[in-house]
Structure formats: C-alpha cells, structure tokens
Amino acid sequence: MTSLEIARPAVLENLEFFIQGLSRWLADGGMRPDCIKRVQLAVEEALVNVFRYAYGKGSGMVLLRGRKTEDGLFLIEIIDQGVPFDICTAPAPDLSCTITDRKIGGLGVFFIKKMTDEIRYRREGDSNVLTLVVRDKDPGVTPFKDKMAQAR
Amino acid sequence: MEIEKRKEGGVLIASVRGRIDAVTAPDFDQAAAEIVAAGEKTLILETGGLEYISSAGLRSILALAKALKAREGRVVFAGLTGGPKNVFKISGFETIFGAYDTVEEALKNL
C-alpha cells in the first residue's frame, strides 16, 4: 500500500481533513472499522495537543505520516516544529475520583496510550516526532504489548 | 453531532447522535449551557446514536455534570455502545456517572 502524508497548518479547522485522510488510508490498508475508530481517537488527541500547545500564540505546520510494515504494523507519525514535548512522560490522570474532584482535561494522552500498542517520541532537530504503533487485531486478543510483558 | 431533547415523567432526556470531537464539542457545550440555564437538575444522556467521542467530548460532559451536581442534580447515560462505551469504560466515566442499557432502566434508577 502507498504511504500516507498530509501536511497542513496546525489549526483545529484542519482536524477533519487529517482524520478523513487517515481513515481512508487505514481502510485501504485493510484495517477493520472498529480499529480505525481507535486510531482516529489516538490521532485526534495527538493532533489537538499540537494545535493547542505546540506553537503557543504563534503558528506552524503539522505533518501526519503513515506506513504499513511487512508484518502488518501501522506506523503513524505526527510531526511538528513546536516546543519540545515528550508525550511519553506525561502523568496519568486520576481515574478514580468523584465528579466534583475529577479534573477537566488530562485524558488526551491517556487515550493515545490506551488506543495504540506502543508510542515512541523523539526530538529530531527542531521537530517533535511522535510515532503511534498499531496492530489491527480481533477484539479480545491479547494486545501485543501485553504479550511482550508476559514474555519477559 | 445532533442533540434532541424530550421529557419523560419530568426527567430531561437528551439523545446525542454522531461525533463529539474537538470540533463539535463546542456545539455540545452550547446545548449543555441551555440545559443549565433552563434550571434542569437531572439529565439522561441517551447515547445509542453516538458514534465517536474523544477527550474533548468527555471534558464537555464532565463540565455539564459538575454544573448539575452543584445544584444536587446528576447526569446518567443510557444505551452506550461500541467505541464510545469502551471510551467511557477505560476513562472511568461509566463508573462515576452511572450507565444503563436503556432509558427505561435509567428512569427506574434515578
């Protein structure tokens, strides 16, 4: 399959364009609809983080790139030239508190981690490169990362 | 995203259809503001037609729930399914709000 590459200004108005392009590419790659929805969620959360925080009050671009490996992994990269932000180090939200104590926000990064099999971050020159790794799998099948954990 | 409101036995039921993402969440906030302004206390959010929800949507729902809680009201969910059900489950929302299979069941448990 061909790779995915969409570059647009990092503004919320472009969210739909990115998600539609991504969804078509994933469907062309044979990904099942329920898995596409999971990836949509992870990528929306990652893109919205870039739109809101990467460039402060300034402006910039975001590049969405995707490729499928020979062993069936979908690798999706979100690249921006904003302030360095390692998503992997973001703290987990407290999911147990009551409505009154529950903080508004903080779930975006949590969803990115839950909806993918693996996330990787690297700072490359002046760019943040976030890689989401997704394996299309049947519901109920042990996630790849859990299998890795069990194997250790 | 579309929201349709109706009343059953004095309880407000809002049916949400489509997607609540970062783009459409402000539309939900607008509908929520109208519900709060109307002095409502209890809301059943019927989500059988909800296809997709992201953290932006959950943030909006939490803000509405906090506003109703401040006047001793609450929000419960009816008919969660598919991807949104999974999102509510893993985020803990299903537990802190209360979720029922149908509106009828939610009405009985209010």
Side-chain angles (χ1 to χ4, degrees):
Chain A
M1 71 184 289
T2 55
S3 57
L4 171 75
E5 194 158 319
I6 306 172
R8 289 229 152 180
V11 291
L12 192 57
E13 288 72 21
N14 284 328
L15 178 64
E16 203 178 338
F17 186 86
F18 279 112
I19 295 298
Q20 282 181 354
L22 169 78
S23 304
R24 273 196 301 273
W25 178 73
L26 293 171
D28 289 348
M31 188 179 275
R32 287 170 305 111
D34 66 317
C35 193
I36 291 176
K37 288 253 175 80
R38 285 198 292 118
V39 180
Q40 282 181 352
L41 179 55
V43 172
E44 175 189 328
E45 302 294 356
L47 285 172
V48 170
N49 264 342
V50 173
F51 297 162
R52 294 212 166 119
Y53 307 116
Y55 297 106
K57 287 178 180 169
S59 59
M61 297 292 287
V62 60
L63 170 63
L64 178 65
R65 220 157 50 178
R67 67 186 174 87
K68 189 178 180 184
T69 65
E70 282 178 8
D71 57 348
L73 284 178
F74 290 83
L75 303 182
I76 298 147
E77 288 182 331
I78 293 110
I79 303 166
D80 66 79
Q81 287 74 49
V83 293
F85 175 57
D86 181 357
I87 212 165
C88 301
T89 61
D94 182 354
L95 304 177
S96 61
C97 47
T98 63
I99 292 171
T100 312
D101 297 333
R102 186 82 188 240
K103 288 196 172 62
I104 291 181
L107 279 170
V109 173
F110 175 73
F111 283 150
I112 296 170
K113 292 176 178 172
K114 293 295 275 189
M115 296 296 152
T116 57
D117 290 282
E118 187 187 338
I119 61 170
R120 301 170 193 156
Y121 169 81
R122 67 181 190 275
R123 184 76 181 173
E124 206 174 84
D126 64 348
S127 297
N128 291 305
V129 182
L130 174 66
T131 307
L132 311 181
V133 183
V134 180
R135 179 186 292 278
D136 188 8
K137 54 190 173 286
D138 290 332
V141 172
T142 309
F144 179 64
K145 61 185 171 191
D146 293 351
K147 279 186 187 163
M148 292 299 286
Q150 285 165 12
R152 282 187 195 117
Chain B
M1 186 211 58
E2 287 170 25
I3 298 182
E4 256 179 42
K5 291 182 275 187
R6 68 180 192 277
K7 283 223 168 179
E8 270 185 42
V11 177
L12 181 65
I13 299 158
S15 296
V16 191
R17 305 184 67 82
R19 299 170 65 92
I20 313 182
D21 58 18
V23 174
T24 58
D27 298 336
F28 182 91
D29 291 339
Q30 177 63 40
E34 287 167 16
I35 289 168
V36 173
E40 299 290 347
K41 283 178 68 174
T42 305
L43 171 70
I44 297 174
L45 211 51
E46 190 179 25
T47 48
L50 184 64
E51 294 162 14
Y52 173 95
I53 186 163
S54 67
S55 70
L58 293 189
R59 192 176 299 124
S60 296
I61 290 172
L62 184 61
L64 171 61
K66 281 176 184 278
L68 298 187
K69 174 103 178 161
R71 54 173 73 142
E72 296 177 343
R74 61 187 293 212
V75 177
V76 299
F77 301 99
L80 273 170
T81 182
K85 186 177 175 66
N86 187 38
V87 165
F88 275 70
K89 194 172 176 181
I90 64 172
S91 62
F93 270 47
E94 207 177 46
T95 313
I96 62 171
F97 285 101
Y100 303 94
D101 289 342
T102 62
V103 169
E104 291 69 29
E105 204 184 319
L107 281 166
K108 274 187 216 159
N109 285 282
L110 281 177

